[in-house]
Every structure is written in structure tokens, then in C-alpha cells.
Amino acid sequence: MSTDRDITRIVRSWMDEGVTQLPDRVLDAVLDQLPATPQRRPSWLARRFLSMNTYLKFGLAAAAVVAAVVIGLQVVGQPNIVGPPDASPTPARTPAPSSEAMPLPAPGALDPGVYLMPAAFGGVDFAFTVPAGWEIDREGFVRKNTDSDATLDITTGVMFSAWTVDHVFADACVGEGTEQPVEETVDALAAALASQVRPGRETRGPAPGLEFDGHPVEHVTLYAPGDLGECGGRLRTWPGLNGDLNSGWPAGPGQTDDVYIVDVDGTRLVLVGSYWAETATEDRQELDALALSAEIAPQ
Amino acid sequence: MDTDLVIQAQGGDEEAFASLAVAAGDRLHAVAHRILRDIDLAEDATQQALLTIWRDLPQLRDPARFEAWSYRLLVRACYAEARRNRSWQPGLRLVDTDTPMADSSASVADRDQLERGFRRLSIDHRAVVVLHHYLDFTLDEVADALGVPVGTVRSRLHYAMRGLRAALDADARPTKRAGAR
């Protein structure tokens, strides 16, 4: 019978055998392929970035058509999105005047007004009202007072986003390898998020008193503790479409995501309001008001 | 690793990346070979890993973590190679007894048994063994490189070493087994 020390010594000795040099031809083959291998940028939200580009191209090319469509936008129901049931006071609902909705502009500051979030993000067009001081980034996030462009480095401010989600990580700490497809129902996604293994708390339930077209708005709060060292400094909530591991939605230390899941004529719309440990109360109130202003356009 | 080179390569500088690839290529290949136990597969995995490193380099948030991150992509490439090559099966290789041993403590018989035992392990388990026992990574460093909790690393290492131990000990049992029949 070998002792542990024997095994370790033998294995280490055995490991020292074997090749140690990469043949030049392999290295040459790699370098030859660089020009034909575009780099991926940015990271987590590549899909969203691409979608945004697509949308912006479309918007620029067909501005007149978009304007006409926006003018014809009619409210067919209210998603009635509100903030989390705890902490911040719920602001008065201020419906977005959808007839004034503008296409989202290029990344940068947003003038106060009503904008149209295109279906490229959440699968459903919707209008929402933006107060002063907000901006849209290149990946389609509407944000205010965030202290970093990198999601995982943010410690304050607020962010609002819309998603199409078809996979969820079963273990947010491990992430890759635990992604699982989710059926296209509101309940399936809410259940997948509520049962996700993660070191923070999770709550799930219908958003109090809210419904859309007779269906309850499912609400899941996902929280990431301040120390995520054991998870490599981040959690992974869901990957990009089709389980794409190079995009998706992460959570950094101290991040809270209020996830609202709505069925819009068979399309599952996912809205996320995010805030951090140091976010000011007034910013959260604005985030709630912004989400509450959402109006679904005729599909 | 020169973080300036990493930053330049993140910006699309192919020459900077070539320098990185030259510096990292040997160690990546050595690790791939020890995980996959096949020289051709290891070359393919290393080539794929280097291309993925180039492609995804802008996603690396902290250039100082380049080395650990590159191992993660390499292990992923090893998975892919192992999956892609369906004909790849655990098997014996001829042991070159003329090759000087790094340490006489691993006998030819031990190496043969280790080879068999190691090939029975999953890529997950092999990667932990190689990073810990070949690169001398601590368990925390292995966890960081592979992007898994340190508890997972610990359990994988425990399982893997138990398997290797069983393989080695099996070599000492044939006579008893024969006698028992």
C-alpha cells in the first residue's frame, strides 16, 4: 500500500516527463490565423452590443419609418413594474406618453423624455420615460451614476435593462458548465432563478398586486454578497442566447437585481433593475419610476 | 508576464500577441500534453487555446491575471479536443526506457500504471492534478485558474489522487488475485 506522500512524489516525478516545447509550426499556424480571427469586444454583453448595433443601424437607416411606428404606438396594457417590496418607497406611476417615444440614440447622455426600447433586447418593444441625468451605454443599458463602465466593478448607481433569456446557470458561482435551457414560460424562468444556487438571498413571488393582461408579473430578487472571492469575484446569472458563454448577465459584489418577468402575448419579456450597496435612495426611486413607466407597444 | 504586452494585445496589436504567444506557448503546450496524454491532441488544443486567447483577450478585465486566465482557456480547449476526437481512447503507449527519468522514484511499472489510471480520469480531474502537481499551483491558484470554488478543487484532487493511488496499488496485487482464483 502506497502512502499519500509516495503517491505525490511518484505523480510529480511522472509529471516532469513529457514535452515542454511547442513546435514552431503550431505557433506559426496560430500567428497566421490572427488576421482572420477578429477579437471579441466587449466581454459579457457581446450579444447585446451586437443587437444594439443592429438596432442602431436599422434606426439610422429607417428613422422616418420608426418615427411613424412610434407615433402609432398604443398602450395595450401596463407591465406595472415596481421596485422591490422592501426598502425604497414606491414612486407614483407616471405613464410614458408613448406617442412621443424616441428611438434610443447612440451611446451617451439621454435627454429627458420617452424612449423606445426595441424588441432586439427583450423580445418586445416597449416605451419608458427617462428623467434627467441618465445615459445609455453601448450595450443598451440605461444607467445613472454608475461608477464604472464594467458591470462587475460598479459599486453605486442604478441600471435598467431588458433581456431575452433562454438559459440560466444552475450554479451562479460556478457558472460555465451549469447552464441549462429554460422553457419559454414565465413560471419556468422564475422557478429557475429562484432555485439557482448562489451565495446571496433569493426571493420569488408575484410582484404585489401587479398583473399584465391578467397574468401576474413574476418578481425575483437576486442579491450578491459583498465578498465573492469564492466565486472568482462574480456570479453568473444567465448566459447569452443559446447558452452563449461569452455574453449574458453577471453580478458583481453587492449587486442586487430585481428581475421582472412578464408574458406578452406568448413572448417572455425580462426587465432588470439593478442597484448596488452604495446606491443612493433617490437613485433607486428613479430606477423604480423608470421601470414603472414602461408601456408595452402593440406587437 | 508583461502586462503591457497583454494590454497592447487587448488593443489588437498582433506583434504584442506574438510575443505573448512565444512566451506562453511552451508552458501551455506542456500542460495540454500532460492533461491529454497525446502529443497531437495537445498541439491542437494549444493552437486552439492560443487563438481563443487572442479572440477573447479584450474580455480579460485584469491584465495581471493573464496567466491564470490562459490556463482556463487551455483546459477548455482540452475538453473540446477530447470530445472532438472520438477515436481517442485510453490506451497504452510504449514507454521509452532509454529516456532518462527525472526521478528514479517513478519506475517503468509505476509510469505504466499511472498512465492507465490518469487516462481514466475526466479532464476536470486531470487539470487539477496537472496544475497542482506539475505547475505547483496552490489549491487557491488552481481554483482561480479554473474558475471553480476551492472546495471543488480539493474534492477533485482528492478523487484524482485516490484513483491514481488505486492504479499504482493495483500493480502490487496481481499475484494475490491470481492466488485467490
Side-chain angles (χ1 to χ4, degrees):
Chain A
M1 178 72 96
S2 308
T3 66
D4 288 344
R5 188 168 295 180
D6 288 338
I7 299 297
T8 298
R9 180 171 46 81
I10 291 169
V11 168
R12 284 179 173 254
S13 169
W14 177 64
M15 285 279 163
D16 280 340
E17 301 171 43
V19 300
T20 56
Q21 283 195 318
L22 181 66
D24 287 344
R25 59 181 164 73
V26 178
L27 192 57
D28 291 343
V30 170
L31 300 180
D32 286 346
Q33 292 180 65
L34 294 187
T37 308
Q39 289 186 308
R40 284 181 177 171
R41 23 180 124 242
S43 55
W44 271 90
L45 301 154
R47 179 189 62 78
R48 295 178 59 80
F49 186 28
L50 293 174
S51 299
M52 185 65 175
N53 281 341
T54 303
Y55 171 72
L56 287 176
K57 286 174 188 172
F58 171 80
L60 289 172
V65 175
V66 170
V69 170
V70 168
I71 288 170
L73 193 68
Q74 295 176 1
V75 178
V76 295
Q78 307 298 338
N80 298 327
I81 305 304
V82 300
D86 53 356
S88 75
T90 303
R93 183 176 179 281
T94 51
S98 55
S99 61
E100 301 170 9
M102 301 174 283
L104 285 169
L110 290 171
D111 291 330
V114 182
Y115 291 90
L116 184 70
M117 182 68 79
F121 290 124
V124 175
D125 286 339
F126 67 91
F128 61 103
T129 301
V130 177
W134 288 70
E135 60 184 316
I136 175 97
D137 69 19
R138 61 183 182 176
E139 295 161 351
F141 287 93
V142 181
R143 55 168 77 200
K144 182 178 184 181
N145 289 339
T146 49
D147 55 348
S148 173
D149 290 337
T151 305
L152 296 181
D153 295 334
I154 296 174
T155 62
T156 187
V158 284
M159 208 150 71
F160 175 69
S161 53
W163 293 85
T164 301
V165 179
D166 62 3
H167 284 68
V168 166
F169 290 110
D171 188 328
C173 185
V174 174
E176 184 175 344
T178 70
E179 64 274 17
Q180 295 179 347
V182 179
E183 287 180 23
E184 293 182 10
T185 64
V186 168
D187 191 62
L189 178 58
L193 290 174
S195 63
Q196 185 175 59
V197 176
R198 53 193 292 145
R201 67 183 164 84
E202 311 94 35
T203 59
R204 180 206 168 185
L210 303 180
E211 61 178 34
F212 176 74
D213 273 359
H215 302 293
V217 176
E218 284 289 335
H219 172 217
V220 181
T221 299
L222 303 171
Y223 165 75
D227 181 1
L228 289 173
E230 288 200 356
C231 301
R234 58 88 185 96
L235 300 177
R236 298 188 69 169
T237 302
W238 54 69
L241 278 180
N242 302 313
D244 176 17
L245 296 173
N246 291 303
S247 58
W249 185 229
Q255 178 177 329
T256 298
D257 295 323
D258 274 315
V259 183
Y260 295 93
I261 313 165
V262 189
D263 181 278
V264 183
D265 296 336
T267 299
R268 184 173 60 201
L269 169 64
V270 179
L271 301 179
V272 180
S274 304
Y275 56 92
W276 285 263
E278 297 176 22
T279 296
T281 301
E282 53 268 32
D283 283 348
R284 280 196 57 191
Q285 290 174 343
E286 283 199 10
L287 174 67
D288 295 343
L290 188 152
L292 193 61
S293 73
E295 293 184 7
I296 309 296
Q299 304 301 306
Chain B
M1 192 57 65
D2 187 339
T3 53
D4 287 341
L5 278 179
V6 176
I7 293 168
Q8 290 168 31
Q10 284 183 309
D13 185 332
E14 293 183 9
E15 286 189 20
F17 180 77
S19 299
L20 284 177
V22 168
D26 286 348
R27 62 177 172 78
L28 291 175
H29 184 49
V31 169
H33 182 241
R34 281 155 181 79
I35 291 174
L36 290 167
R37 312 304 301 170
D38 181 290
I39 194 72
D40 293 328
L41 292 181
E43 288 181 3
D44 288 346
T46 307
Q47 180 172 332
Q48 188 54 50
L50 284 169
L51 281 170
T52 304
I53 289 169
W54 161 255
R55 187 192 65 191
D56 292 351
L57 201 48
Q59 302 174 27
L60 177 63
R61 310 177 77 84
D62 179 2
R65 294 196 65 258
F66 175 81
E67 186 171 351
W69 178 75
S70 66
Y71 285 124
R72 185 181 305 188
L73 298 189
L74 177 75
V75 171
R76 203 177 295 164
C78 288
Y79 279 119
E81 278 309 314
R83 274 200 304 265
R84 187 159 40 235
N85 194 318
R86 295 182 177 213
S87 63
W88 181 62
Q89 296 290 337
L92 291 174
R93 68 178 172 86
L94 292 175
V95 176
D96 180 1
T97 53
D98 293 332
T99 302
M101 301 273 299
D103 184 328
S104 60
S105 61
S107 68
V108 171
D110 283 345
R111 285 189 290 165
D112 188 38
Q113 292 302 321
L114 278 174
E115 193 76 40
R116 294 179 194 224
F118 194 77
R119 284 170 181 263
R120 280 196 287 266
L121 299 177
S122 72
I123 298 294
D124 277 331
H125 292 88
R126 297 182 196 189
V128 169
V129 172
V130 172
L131 294 186
H132 184 58
H133 285 307
Y134 177 63
L135 293 180
D136 275 336
F137 276 21
T138 65
L139 297 189
D140 284 338
E141 289 170 334
V142 174
D144 182 44
L146 298 181
V148 298
V150 69
T152 302
V153 170
R154 193 174 288 115
S155 69
R156 285 179 186 173
L157 186 63
H158 174 75
Y159 175 90
M161 295 305 285
R162 192 177 62 185
L164 293 178
R165 178 181 187 149
L168 282 171
D169 287 345
D171 193 39
R173 289 198 295 264
T175 306
K176 291 180 183 176
R177 282 181 181 167
R181 284 178 192 150

